[in-house]
Structures are given as structure tokens and as C-alpha cells.
Amino acid sequence: MKKSLLTFLFCGLLLVSVETVHAQNSGLGVGAVINNPSGLSAKYWLNDDIAVDAAFTFAIADNFSEAYLHSDVLKHTDTIDSEALELYYGMGIRLLWGDIYNDLNAGLRWPVGTEYTIAESNVKSFIELVPTLDFSPDARFFFGGAVGVRLYLN
């Protein structure tokens, strides 16, 4: 709960600190992602429609700790007739290490989502659904998802 509240407050801080610049499909965006995982998020544009994103979270509790990292290559499409809204899809990897069983979970991700550019700002919000196939230590298939916001440092 505390981690989700801190992530929410970080997102609010990003929204308050925006400049009057229109976010473009270039440069580096940093921000927060909420849900699965909740933590820090970054996205770097390689060209007008291809980007690489990543998320990182670290949790420490009384009886365990864990670290999570994922990275995806994303293709953005202009199938929706809107300058502010873009659809994207891609593929990536995820790593989750927890010290309870001293396991490293590794898997493949296929994110599908939409990204919304907040008008007259350098902030983009996103929501995604992510089918995931873990192959280590055991094979399992599941759906994850996330909501987030990034401030672009153009």
C-alpha cells in the first residue's frame, strides 16, 4: 500500500511539473508505472514509431525482498485518427528475483497498449495489457497489465 501511494504521489509530481511543450515521439521519458509492476518507468524513442521501454521495482519487507526488471521493444501505429492517442505492441523480457526461494523468474512479454499525449505538455500516459510466458524456473502463462505516466526530457 505504501509503495502504491508513493508511486501515485510521484505521478502527481510529474503532472504538476510539466512545461508547455508538446510531447513528441523522440527523446527519453521517465516516470512511474502502477500495478504489475509498480515502480519506475523509462522509454527511449529510436525513431518516430519504434521505442524501447523498461520498468524497475525493488521491494524490501521483513521476511523477503525482490527485484523486478522488464524491457520491451515497441512498435507504435497510427491506426486511430488522433494526434494524441497511439496504439502500440511489442515484445520483451522480464526478470523477477525473490529471496524467499532464491529464484530467478525469467520470461517473455508481449505488451499491447495505448499511449495518450496530454495536451500542450511533455507528459504521456499509458495503459497496457501484457500476455507473459515465464520459462524459468517453471513454465507458466499469465496476463499482466500496467498504467503509467512519463515526463519527456526533450
Side-chain angles (χ1 to χ4, degrees), residues 53-70:
D53 81 341
F56 174 75
T57 184
F58 188 79
I60 299 175
D62 290 338
N63 300 325
F64 78 97
S65 60
E66 69 178 19
Y68 175 90
L69 174 69
H70 80 243

Side-chain angles (χ1 to χ4, degrees), residues 4 14 16 26 42 44 68 70 86 99 102 120 128 138 148 152:
S4 295
L14 285 178
V16 170
S26 64
Y44 182 75
Y68 175 90
H70 80 243
E86 285 186 290
D99 69 354
N102 201 24
E120 300 300 319
E128 64 185 21
D138 298 315
Y152 280 81

Side-chain angles (χ1 to χ4, degrees), residues 78-100:
D78 55 0
T79 55
I80 297 177
D81 189 23
S82 170
E83 289 184 22
L85 193 63
E86 285 186 290
L87 297 177
Y88 64 85
Y89 59 92
M91 184 175 176
I93 60 168
R94 77 178 216 114
L95 300 171
L96 173 66
W97 176 81
D99 69 354
I100 292 178

Side-chain angles (χ1 to χ4, degrees), residues 68-145:
Y68 175 90
L69 174 69
H70 80 243
S71 183
D72 308 308
V73 175
L74 303 173
K75 166 79 172 147
H76 293 70
T77 66
D78 55 0
T79 55
I80 297 177
D81 189 23
S82 170
E83 289 184 22
L85 193 63
E86 285 186 290
L87 297 177
Y88 64 85
Y89 59 92
M91 184 175 176
I93 60 168
R94 77 178 216 114
L95 300 171
L96 173 66
W97 176 81
D99 69 354
I100 292 178
Y101 302 108
N102 201 24
D103 280 341
L104 175 66
N105 293 347
L108 297 176
R109 300 167 30 95
W110 294 272
V112 176
T114 184
E115 188 170 60
Y116 178 74
T117 302
I118 298 173
E120 300 300 319
S121 74
N122 56 346
V123 175
K124 290 188 177 191
S125 62
F126 64 94
I127 185 168
E128 64 185 21
L129 178 65
V130 186
T132 304
L133 176 64
D134 275 351
F135 49 82
S136 171
D138 298 315
R140 70 181 182 124
F141 180 79
F142 61 95
F143 285 89

